Amino acid sequence: MADEQWGPAVRLLWGPPPGPPARGPRRGLTLEGIAGAGVAIADAEGLGGVSMQRVAAELAVTKMALYRYVPGKAELVALMAEAAMPDPAAGLDAALERAGSGWRERLGAWARELLAAFRAHPWLLRATVGARAVGPREVGWLERALAALEGCGLNGAESMDAVVLVAGHVRGIAEQERAVSAGGAAGAAVAGGAAGSGPDVELGAVLGEVMRLRGADFPALGAALASVARDGGQDQALDFGLERILDGIGLLVAARGAGA
């Protein structure tokens, strides 16, 4: 069943590039060009703007001609996700090298590079969930995260769960940022039009209005917001959550008797 469902996408992602169609116009389409056209549409309009018809039009071919290369939208999105994920052999490996040899530093660098990928292509948040075919780049990212934990004394399941936990935190931050961005001018108005305002600033502005109206009912919240205003600390959700996750993984590593 899995092969029937994902087999075509797996073959496109991992197999040799298909040759020219046996019949019909022999245009010089490539999977890279097809994926690139889809990525450009998704970057401009979101994943909802992508369709076989739309991509075919961007490539100046008929939809039927496109089907000779890509059997459907699911396979198209798989190709797009593979094309949009940065090649781990490029920027990610360099970032990990700069981070040093410690598992904590390397996993932290991995998380920040993953957030950068989601920021560059927010539609990847939708395209990379659920049971689906994954390509060499995405598997390469997983490989490097797991490699960062080698020698820590964790078993395979624990290492996989640790990576999923870190990735889930990154996805949550990216989702918040995407939601704020989607708010457009309304979100900027709530935040006072501040340039570069993030989710914490947006939420703080909304809660500030609540406190102005009903602050006496929420003294703990009022004290927390006053502390933020006095001492700073907004828009640090990525680092704060990441550090606490790594702290927890570090406790497990210590329990296994492995070094940091």
PDB file of all heavy atoms in Angstrom, residues 223-254:
ATOM      1  N   ALA A 223       2.245  41.319  36.433  1.00  0.00           N
ATOM      2  CA  ALA A 223       3.616  41.361  36.946  1.00  0.00           C
ATOM      3  C   ALA A 223       4.599  40.865  35.899  1.00  0.00           C
ATOM      4  O   ALA A 223       5.700  41.419  35.735  1.00  0.00           O
ATOM      5  CB  ALA A 223       3.723  40.530  38.217  1.00  0.00           C
ATOM      6  N   ALA A 224       4.224  39.794  35.167  1.00  0.00           N
ATOM      7  CA  ALA A 224       5.110  39.260  34.133  1.00  0.00           C
ATOM      8  C   ALA A 224       5.321  40.266  33.010  1.00  0.00           C
ATOM      9  O   ALA A 224       6.445  40.479  32.544  1.00  0.00           O
ATOM     10  CB  ALA A 224       4.539  37.950  33.581  1.00  0.00           C
ATOM     11  N   LEU A 225       4.239  40.903  32.570  1.00  0.00           N
ATOM     12  CA  LEU A 225       4.361  41.887  31.491  1.00  0.00           C
ATOM     13  C   LEU A 225       5.170  43.099  31.938  1.00  0.00           C
ATOM     14  O   LEU A 225       5.941  43.666  31.155  1.00  0.00           O
ATOM     15  CB  LEU A 225       2.975  42.316  31.018  1.00  0.00           C
ATOM     16  CG  LEU A 225       2.161  41.251  30.271  1.00  0.00           C
ATOM     17  CD1 LEU A 225       0.764  41.766  29.977  1.00  0.00           C
ATOM     18  CD2 LEU A 225       2.862  40.826  28.992  1.00  0.00           C
ATOM     19  N   ALA A 226       4.999  43.488  33.189  1.00  0.00           N
ATOM     20  CA  ALA A 226       5.782  44.611  33.703  1.00  0.00           C
ATOM     21  C   ALA A 226       7.264  44.269  33.719  1.00  0.00           C
ATOM     22  O   ALA A 226       8.120  45.100  33.404  1.00  0.00           O
ATOM     23  CB  ALA A 226       5.304  44.982  35.104  1.00  0.00           C
ATOM     24  N   SER A 227       7.586  43.018  34.064  1.00  0.00           N
ATOM     25  CA  SER A 227       8.977  42.580  34.071  1.00  0.00           C
ATOM     26  C   SER A 227       9.558  42.587  32.662  1.00  0.00           C
ATOM     27  O   SER A 227      10.714  42.991  32.454  1.00  0.00           O
ATOM     28  CB  SER A 227       9.080  41.178  34.674  1.00  0.00           C
ATOM     29  OG  SER A 227      10.398  40.684  34.570  1.00  0.00           O
ATOM     30  N   VAL A 228       8.775  42.135  31.690  1.00  0.00           N
ATOM     31  CA  VAL A 228       9.241  42.138  30.297  1.00  0.00           C
ATOM     32  C   VAL A 228       9.521  43.562  29.844  1.00  0.00           C
ATOM     33  O   VAL A 228      10.548  43.850  29.201  1.00  0.00           O
ATOM     34  CB  VAL A 228       8.200  41.467  29.379  1.00  0.00           C
ATOM     35  CG1 VAL A 228       8.530  41.714  27.914  1.00  0.00           C
ATOM     36  CG2 VAL A 228       8.131  39.967  29.657  1.00  0.00           C
ATOM     37  N   ALA A 229       8.608  44.467  30.173  1.00  0.00           N
ATOM     38  CA  ALA A 229       8.789  45.863  29.781  1.00  0.00           C
ATOM     39  C   ALA A 229      10.020  46.478  30.448  1.00  0.00           C
ATOM     40  O   ALA A 229      10.725  47.291  29.853  1.00  0.00           O
ATOM     41  CB  ALA A 229       7.544  46.669  30.140  1.00  0.00           C
ATOM     42  N   ARG A 230      10.279  46.056  31.673  1.00  0.00           N
ATOM     43  CA  ARG A 230      11.396  46.637  32.432  1.00  0.00           C
ATOM     44  C   ARG A 230      12.735  46.012  32.043  1.00  0.00           C
ATOM     45  O   ARG A 230      13.734  46.712  31.852  1.00  0.00           O
ATOM     46  CB  ARG A 230      11.152  46.430  33.925  1.00  0.00           C
ATOM     47  CG  ARG A 230      12.254  47.008  34.824  1.00  0.00           C
ATOM     48  CD  ARG A 230      11.907  46.805  36.294  1.00  0.00           C
ATOM     49  NE  ARG A 230      11.869  45.389  36.655  1.00  0.00           N
ATOM     50  CZ  ARG A 230      10.745  44.716  36.925  1.00  0.00           C
ATOM     51  NH1 ARG A 230       9.567  45.318  36.873  1.00  0.00           N
ATOM     52  NH2 ARG A 230      10.787  43.434  37.245  1.00  0.00           N
ATOM     53  N   ASP A 231      12.755  44.678  31.898  1.00  0.00           N
ATOM     54  CA  ASP A 231      14.019  43.963  31.730  1.00  0.00           C
ATOM     55  C   ASP A 231      14.261  43.452  30.316  1.00  0.00           C
ATOM     56  O   ASP A 231      15.334  42.922  30.026  1.00  0.00           O
ATOM     57  CB  ASP A 231      14.073  42.764  32.693  1.00  0.00           C
ATOM     58  CG  ASP A 231      13.874  43.196  34.142  1.00  0.00           C
ATOM     59  OD1 ASP A 231      14.350  44.292  34.489  1.00  0.00           O
ATOM     60  OD2 ASP A 231      13.253  42.435  34.900  1.00  0.00           O
ATOM     61  N   GLY A 232      13.265  43.570  29.451  1.00  0.00           N
ATOM     62  CA  GLY A 232      13.414  43.030  28.098  1.00  0.00           C
ATOM     63  C   GLY A 232      13.136  41.533  28.095  1.00  0.00           C
ATOM     64  O   GLY A 232      12.595  40.960  29.032  1.00  0.00           O
ATOM     65  N   GLY A 233      13.531  40.888  26.999  1.00  0.00           N
ATOM     66  CA  GLY A 233      13.355  39.440  26.911  1.00  0.00           C
ATOM     67  C   GLY A 233      12.301  39.009  25.930  1.00  0.00           C
ATOM     68  O   GLY A 233      11.996  37.828  25.831  1.00  0.00           O
ATOM     69  N   GLN A 234      11.722  39.951  25.160  1.00  0.00           N
ATOM     70  CA  GLN A 234      10.745  39.556  24.159  1.00  0.00           C
ATOM     71  C   GLN A 234      11.437  38.930  22.957  1.00  0.00           C
ATOM     72  O   GLN A 234      12.608  39.155  22.691  1.00  0.00           O
ATOM     73  CB  GLN A 234       9.922  40.761  23.708  1.00  0.00           C
ATOM     74  CG  GLN A 234       8.917  41.223  24.748  1.00  0.00           C
ATOM     75  CD  GLN A 234       8.089  42.387  24.245  1.00  0.00           C
ATOM     76  OE1 GLN A 234       8.618  43.307  23.668  1.00  0.00           O
ATOM     77  NE2 GLN A 234       6.794  42.341  24.473  1.00  0.00           N
ATOM     78  N   ASP A 235      10.661  38.127  22.211  1.00  0.00           N
ATOM     79  CA  ASP A 235      11.129  37.488  20.983  1.00  0.00           C
ATOM     80  C   ASP A 235      12.363  36.623  21.213  1.00  0.00           C
ATOM     81  O   ASP A 235      13.288  36.583  20.410  1.00  0.00           O
ATOM     82  CB  ASP A 235      11.407  38.531  19.894  1.00  0.00           C
ATOM     83  CG  ASP A 235      10.115  39.050  19.283  1.00  0.00           C
ATOM     84  OD1 ASP A 235       9.113  38.317  19.309  1.00  0.00           O
ATOM     85  OD2 ASP A 235      10.110  40.194  18.811  1.00  0.00           O
ATOM     86  N   GLN A 236      12.391  35.942  22.345  1.00  0.00           N
ATOM     87  CA  GLN A 236      13.445  34.982  22.633  1.00  0.00           C
ATOM     88  C   GLN A 236      12.886  33.577  22.786  1.00  0.00           C
ATOM     89  O   GLN A 236      13.516  32.703  23.381  1.00  0.00           O
ATOM     90  CB  GLN A 236      14.204  35.390  23.903  1.00  0.00           C
ATOM     91  CG  GLN A 236      14.956  36.705  23.768  1.00  0.00           C
ATOM     92  CD  GLN A 236      15.704  37.091  25.031  1.00  0.00           C
ATOM     93  OE1 GLN A 236      15.787  36.325  25.971  1.00  0.00           O
ATOM     94  NE2 GLN A 236      16.252  38.291  25.050  1.00  0.00           N
ATOM     95  N   ALA A 237      11.691  33.357  22.240  1.00  0.00           N
ATOM     96  CA  ALA A 237      11.034  32.072  22.425  1.00  0.00           C
ATOM     97  C   ALA A 237      11.832  30.931  21.814  1.00  0.00           C
ATOM     98  O   ALA A 237      11.895  29.835  22.369  1.00  0.00           O
ATOM     99  CB  ALA A 237       9.622  32.109  21.839  1.00  0.00           C
ATOM    100  N   LEU A 238      12.444  31.168  20.652  1.00  0.00           N
ATOM    101  CA  LEU A 238      13.235  30.100  20.027  1.00  0.00           C
ATOM    102  C   LEU A 238      14.367  29.689  20.951  1.00  0.00           C
ATOM    103  O   LEU A 238      14.509  28.507  21.291  1.00  0.00           O
ATOM    104  CB  LEU A 238      13.799  30.552  18.683  1.00  0.00           C
ATOM    105  CG  LEU A 238      14.799  29.552  18.074  1.00  0.00           C
ATOM    106  CD1 LEU A 238      14.084  28.295  17.618  1.00  0.00           C
ATOM    107  CD2 LEU A 238      15.601  30.178  16.953  1.00  0.00           C
ATOM    108  N   ASP A 239      15.176  30.655  21.376  1.00  0.00           N
ATOM    109  CA  ASP A 239      16.343  30.319  22.179  1.00  0.00           C
ATOM    110  C   ASP A 239      15.960  29.782  23.545  1.00  0.00           C
ATOM    111  O   ASP A 239      16.566  28.828  24.034  1.00  0.00           O
ATOM    112  CB  ASP A 239      17.242  31.554  22.335  1.00  0.00           C
ATOM    113  CG  ASP A 239      17.934  31.933  21.033  1.00  0.00           C
ATOM    114  OD1 ASP A 239      18.046  31.056  20.149  1.00  0.00           O
ATOM    115  OD2 ASP A 239      18.345  33.091  20.890  1.00  0.00           O
ATOM    116  N   PHE A 240      14.952  30.384  24.163  1.00  0.00           N
ATOM    117  CA  PHE A 240      14.552  29.924  25.495  1.00  0.00           C
ATOM    118  C   PHE A 240      14.077  28.476  25.440  1.00  0.00           C
ATOM    119  O   PHE A 240      14.528  27.624  26.215  1.00  0.00           O
ATOM    120  CB  PHE A 240      13.444  30.814  26.060  1.00  0.00           C
ATOM    121  CG  PHE A 240      13.009  30.411  27.447  1.00  0.00           C
ATOM    122  CD1 PHE A 240      13.694  30.872  28.554  1.00  0.00           C
ATOM    123  CD2 PHE A 240      11.917  29.571  27.645  1.00  0.00           C
ATOM    124  CE1 PHE A 240      13.314  30.502  29.848  1.00  0.00           C
ATOM    125  CE2 PHE A 240      11.525  29.190  28.922  1.00  0.00           C
ATOM    126  CZ  PHE A 240      12.223  29.663  30.026  1.00  0.00           C
ATOM    127  N   GLY A 241      13.154  28.195  24.516  1.00  0.00           N
ATOM    128  CA  GLY A 241      12.637  26.833  24.413  1.00  0.00           C
ATOM    129  C   GLY A 241      13.707  25.847  23.985  1.00  0.00           C
ATOM    130  O   GLY A 241      13.784  24.717  24.503  1.00  0.00           O
ATOM    131  N   LEU A 242      14.559  26.255  23.042  1.00  0.00           N
ATOM    132  CA  LEU A 242      15.614  25.363  22.574  1.00  0.00           C
ATOM    133  C   LEU A 242      16.582  25.022  23.697  1.00  0.00           C
ATOM    134  O   LEU A 242      16.966  23.847  23.867  1.00  0.00           O
ATOM    135  CB  LEU A 242      16.355  26.021  21.404  1.00  0.00           C
ATOM    136  CG  LEU A 242      17.503  25.227  20.779  1.00  0.00           C
ATOM    137  CD1 LEU A 242      17.004  23.894  20.243  1.00  0.00           C
ATOM    138  CD2 LEU A 242      18.154  26.043  19.666  1.00  0.00           C
ATOM    139  N   GLU A 243      16.965  26.020  24.467  1.00  0.00           N
ATOM    140  CA  GLU A 243      17.887  25.764  25.570  1.00  0.00           C
ATOM    141  C   GLU A 243      17.278  24.829  26.614  1.00  0.00           C
ATOM    142  O   GLU A 243      17.960  23.968  27.168  1.00  0.00           O
ATOM    143  CB  GLU A 243      18.321  27.085  26.222  1.00  0.00           C
ATOM    144  CG  GLU A 243      19.225  27.942  25.349  1.00  0.00           C
ATOM    145  CD  GLU A 243      20.484  27.206  24.942  1.00  0.00           C
ATOM    146  OE1 GLU A 243      21.141  26.609  25.824  1.00  0.00           O
ATOM    147  OE2 GLU A 243      20.821  27.215  23.744  1.00  0.00           O
ATOM    148  N   ARG A 244      15.979  24.986  26.886  1.00  0.00           N
ATOM    149  CA  ARG A 244      15.355  24.103  27.868  1.00  0.00           C
ATOM    150  C   ARG A 244      15.255  22.670  27.335  1.00  0.00           C
ATOM    151  O   ARG A 244      15.430  21.707  28.078  1.00  0.00           O
ATOM    152  CB  ARG A 244      13.957  24.628  28.218  1.00  0.00           C
ATOM    153  CG  ARG A 244      13.902  26.034  28.784  1.00  0.00           C
ATOM    154  CD  ARG A 244      14.615  26.207  30.109  1.00  0.00           C
ATOM    155  NE  ARG A 244      16.059  26.211  30.046  1.00  0.00           N
ATOM    156  CZ  ARG A 244      16.804  27.250  29.601  1.00  0.00           C
ATOM    157  NH1 ARG A 244      16.222  28.358  29.159  1.00  0.00           N
ATOM    158  NH2 ARG A 244      18.113  27.175  29.617  1.00  0.00           N
ATOM    159  N   ILE A 245      14.978  22.524  26.038  1.00  0.00           N
ATOM    160  CA  ILE A 245      14.949  21.188  25.430  1.00  0.00           C
ATOM    161  C   ILE A 245      16.330  20.555  25.506  1.00  0.00           C
ATOM    162  O   ILE A 245      16.485  19.379  25.882  1.00  0.00           O
ATOM    163  CB  ILE A 245      14.450  21.268  23.976  1.00  0.00           C
ATOM    164  CG1 ILE A 245      12.968  21.638  23.943  1.00  0.00           C
ATOM    165  CG2 ILE A 245      14.679  19.941  23.250  1.00  0.00           C
ATOM    166  CD1 ILE A 245      12.461  21.957  22.552  1.00  0.00           C
ATOM    167  N   LEU A 246      17.356  21.329  25.159  1.00  0.00           N
ATOM    168  CA  LEU A 246      18.713  20.798  25.206  1.00  0.00           C
ATOM    169  C   LEU A 246      19.131  20.489  26.641  1.00  0.00           C
ATOM    170  O   LEU A 246      19.884  19.537  26.890  1.00  0.00           O
ATOM    171  CB  LEU A 246      19.682  21.789  24.561  1.00  0.00           C
ATOM    172  CG  LEU A 246      19.457  22.045  23.065  1.00  0.00           C
ATOM    173  CD1 LEU A 246      20.443  23.086  22.548  1.00  0.00           C
ATOM    174  CD2 LEU A 246      19.559  20.757  22.254  1.00  0.00           C
ATOM    175  N   ASP A 247      18.660  21.290  27.606  1.00  0.00           N
ATOM    176  CA  ASP A 247      18.914  20.970  29.015  1.00  0.00           C
ATOM    177  C   ASP A 247      18.368  19.581  29.350  1.00  0.00           C
ATOM    178  O   ASP A 247      19.035  18.777  30.015  1.00  0.00           O
ATOM    179  CB  ASP A 247      18.245  22.001  29.927  1.00  0.00           C
ATOM    180  CG  ASP A 247      18.978  23.341  29.953  1.00  0.00           C
ATOM    181  OD1 ASP A 247      20.132  23.400  29.483  1.00  0.00           O
ATOM    182  OD2 ASP A 247      18.365  24.325  30.415  1.00  0.00           O
ATOM    183  N   GLY A 248      17.127  19.331  28.900  1.00  0.00           N
ATOM    184  CA  GLY A 248      16.517  18.033  29.185  1.00  0.00           C
ATOM    185  C   GLY A 248      17.258  16.887  28.531  1.00  0.00           C
ATOM    186  O   GLY A 248      17.468  15.827  29.151  1.00  0.00           O
ATOM    187  N   ILE A 249      17.659  17.068  27.275  1.00  0.00           N
ATOM    188  CA  ILE A 249      18.442  16.037  26.600  1.00  0.00           C
ATOM    189  C   ILE A 249      19.762  15.839  27.325  1.00  0.00           C
ATOM    190  O   ILE A 249      20.256  14.703  27.492  1.00  0.00           O
ATOM    191  CB  ILE A 249      18.684  16.419  25.121  1.00  0.00           C
ATOM    192  CG1 ILE A 249      17.351  16.477  24.384  1.00  0.00           C
ATOM    193  CG2 ILE A 249      19.621  15.422  24.449  1.00  0.00           C
ATOM    194  CD1 ILE A 249      17.464  17.027  22.958  1.00  0.00           C
ATOM    195  N   GLY A 250      20.335  16.958  27.810  1.00  0.00           N
ATOM    196  CA  GLY A 250      21.595  16.863  28.541  1.00  0.00           C
ATOM    197  C   GLY A 250      21.471  16.041  29.807  1.00  0.00           C
ATOM    198  O   GLY A 250      22.413  15.304  30.159  1.00  0.00           O
ATOM    199  N   LEU A 251      20.349  16.138  30.493  1.00  0.00           N
ATOM    200  CA  LEU A 251      20.148  15.300  31.676  1.00  0.00           C
ATOM    201  C   LEU A 251      20.142  13.821  31.316  1.00  0.00           C
ATOM    202  O   LEU A 251      20.698  12.986  32.040  1.00  0.00           O
ATOM    203  CB  LEU A 251      18.831  15.686  32.369  1.00  0.00           C
ATOM    204  CG  LEU A 251      18.782  17.056  33.036  1.00  0.00           C
ATOM    205  CD1 LEU A 251      17.363  17.349  33.547  1.00  0.00           C
ATOM    206  CD2 LEU A 251      19.783  17.135  34.171  1.00  0.00           C
ATOM    207  N   LEU A 252      19.507  13.499  30.195  1.00  0.00           N
ATOM    208  CA  LEU A 252      19.470  12.098  29.757  1.00  0.00           C
ATOM    209  C   LEU A 252      20.877  11.640  29.342  1.00  0.00           C
ATOM    210  O   LEU A 252      21.290  10.520  29.654  1.00  0.00           O
ATOM    211  CB  LEU A 252      18.499  11.945  28.588  1.00  0.00           C
ATOM    212  CG  LEU A 252      18.270  10.519  28.072  1.00  0.00           C
ATOM    213  CD1 LEU A 252      17.754   9.614  29.184  1.00  0.00           C
ATOM    214  CD2 LEU A 252      17.285  10.528  26.900  1.00  0.00           C
ATOM    215  N   VAL A 253      21.605  12.507  28.657  1.00  0.00           N
ATOM    216  CA  VAL A 253      22.985  12.176  28.275  1.00  0.00           C
ATOM    217  C   VAL A 253      23.831  11.933  29.526  1.00  0.00           C
ATOM    218  O   VAL A 253      24.615  10.970  29.587  1.00  0.00           O
ATOM    219  CB  VAL A 253      23.593  13.303  27.407  1.00  0.00           C
ATOM    220  CG1 VAL A 253      25.076  13.104  27.213  1.00  0.00           C
ATOM    221  CG2 VAL A 253      22.889  13.370  26.053  1.00  0.00           C
ATOM    222  N   ALA A 254      23.667  12.792  30.512  1.00  0.00           N
ATOM    223  CA  ALA A 254      24.438  12.629  31.759  1.00  0.00           C
ATOM    224  C   ALA A 254      24.086  11.325  32.457  1.00  0.00           C
ATOM    225  O   ALA A 254      24.951  10.646  33.017  1.00  0.00           O
ATOM    226  CB  ALA A 254      24.183  13.818  32.679  1.00  0.00           C
TER     227      ALA A 254
END
